[in-house]
Amino acid sequence: MEKKKLQIEGTVKKVIVSAALAGGIYLVFRYLLPLVLPFVIAGVVSILYYPILRKMCKNTGIWSGKKKKWFLVFAVLLFYLVIFLLIGLLGGYLFGQGQSIILNFPFYQAKIIYLVKCCCCQMDDILRMEEGVSFAYIEGVMGTIWSDSVNGMLPKVTVYSVQMASKMFGMLFGIIITVIATFFMIQDYDEIREKMLQSEIGKNICRVITKCKDTLKVYVKAQGLIMLLDGILCTLAFLLIGQPYFLVFGPLVAIVDALPVLGAGLILLPYTVILLLKKEIGKACVLLFAYLGCLLVRQITEPKMVGNQIGMRPLYTIISMYAGVRLFGIYGFLLGPVGVLIGKELYTFFLAKQNE
């Protein structure tokens, strides 16, 4: 009887700890994170970047006095310069590709209309209706949707423009604060860590941060490798079928495949069906093999690289992403899994402290 009572009490404690952690993480992400986001980014960059710099230069004359300070200034500026340069190059390329798509829109529109018309003709034959009835209906529906979209969009353009300008200014200010905060955190990294390790609470915080950092590093490394392999595979597949925007579609499929809710099939399977309707069997087979290749890469690579190191099953990832999107919007795709990983580490830590 006593044993059963202890088990019930242990279960109740676990439920209370889980609920408290879930509520705490939600409140932090909802209300505190937007206020301190530049400092969170600066802290993450410092935790990941400083050990690399220390390992590279600790045994050199640079790692002391004013030389160290100026070296850290240069290292921080170089880091963000490379990041912004990569973002700028990627943005410029995507902008150029988008501009090309807009300029060629009439051509693609004609191809889509022709494909839809062919499908509608086949539907008319199957249902034994008069030729052109299905296409006329779809054309009317699409015309109404387009008209409503344009009429609803025009009044909001001015309001969105003002909001966008305000957000751009806020983003620029946040970037400047992030760069400055990163420099000061990296400069005082050893001192901050030493002071935290002097207290029991600080030691526990450092232990949890280290565990979360290691877990997230494994997860990001695994997903990055999978995205790289999928991106190369899909880019080659789109190149083989003669898709002019293969450098856009290939990486796009890799990014979508990283989201368990969606997967590579969201792009590759509809594209394959379109090619089959156009009777381009060879190209359809290439994309189908690319899709199977993406599945194979994920099934082989993910369990080996993540596995027990993360301890987060695909079902939990899907649930965390869905809950994150419902709670935090589009950023929830990232905040959901991160929140679960942090909660898991804190949960393990609190249980271990109770059992001591």
Side-chain angles (χ1 to χ4, degrees), residues 1 9 17 19 33 43 80 99 145 168 217 221 236 264 266-267 276 281 295 326 328 331 334 343 347 356:
M1 188 68 181
E9 289 179 354
V17 170
L33 184 61
Y80 283 108
Q99 191 177 31
I145 293 173
M168 289 297 291
K217 278 174 67 176
K221 183 179 178 181
L236 290 175
L266 185 71
I267 296 176
L276 289 173
I281 308 299
L295 291 178
R326 297 293 295 179
F328 307 109
Y331 302 106
L334 178 62
Y347 177 80
E356 288 180 358

Side-chain angles (χ1 to χ4, degrees), residues 124-250:
D124 290 335
D125 291 337
I126 293 171
L127 300 177
R128 302 193 179 195
M129 296 188 300
E130 186 179 346
E131 186 176 350
V133 173
S134 299
F135 180 72
Y137 174 75
I138 291 178
E139 190 176 27
V141 171
M142 294 304 295
T144 302
I145 293 173
W146 175 259
S147 177
D148 292 343
S149 300
V150 172
N151 292 334
M153 188 184 303
L154 289 177
K156 299 178 181 178
V157 170
T158 304
V159 177
Y160 285 156
S161 298
V162 174
Q163 292 179 352
M164 184 61 69
S166 176
K167 287 183 179 181
M168 289 297 291
F169 176 78
M171 187 180 297
L172 179 62
F173 181 72
I175 289 172
I176 294 173
I177 294 297
T178 301
V179 174
I180 295 173
T182 303
F183 165 69
F184 285 117
M185 285 186 182
I186 280 187
Q187 184 182 19
D188 299 331
Y189 184 91
D190 291 327
E191 184 178 349
I192 294 172
R193 181 176 174 81
E194 184 178 347
K195 286 184 177 180
M196 291 184 68
L197 292 176
Q198 290 176 356
S199 64
E200 188 64 27
I201 297 177
K203 288 180 181 179
N204 293 330
I205 293 174
C206 288
R207 191 180 299 116
V208 172
I209 290 175
T210 301
K211 185 63 178 177
C212 290
K213 180 188 74 172
D214 294 340
T215 303
L216 289 174
K217 278 174 67 176
V218 172
Y219 181 77
V220 171
K221 183 179 178 181
Q223 294 300 329
L225 178 60
I226 293 170
M227 288 176 64
L228 177 63
L229 295 175
D230 286 349
I232 293 173
L233 178 62
C234 294
T235 301
L236 290 175
F238 283 117
L239 177 63
L240 288 174
I241 68 172
Q243 168 57 243
Y245 303 106
F246 63 93
L247 289 177
V248 175
F249 281 99

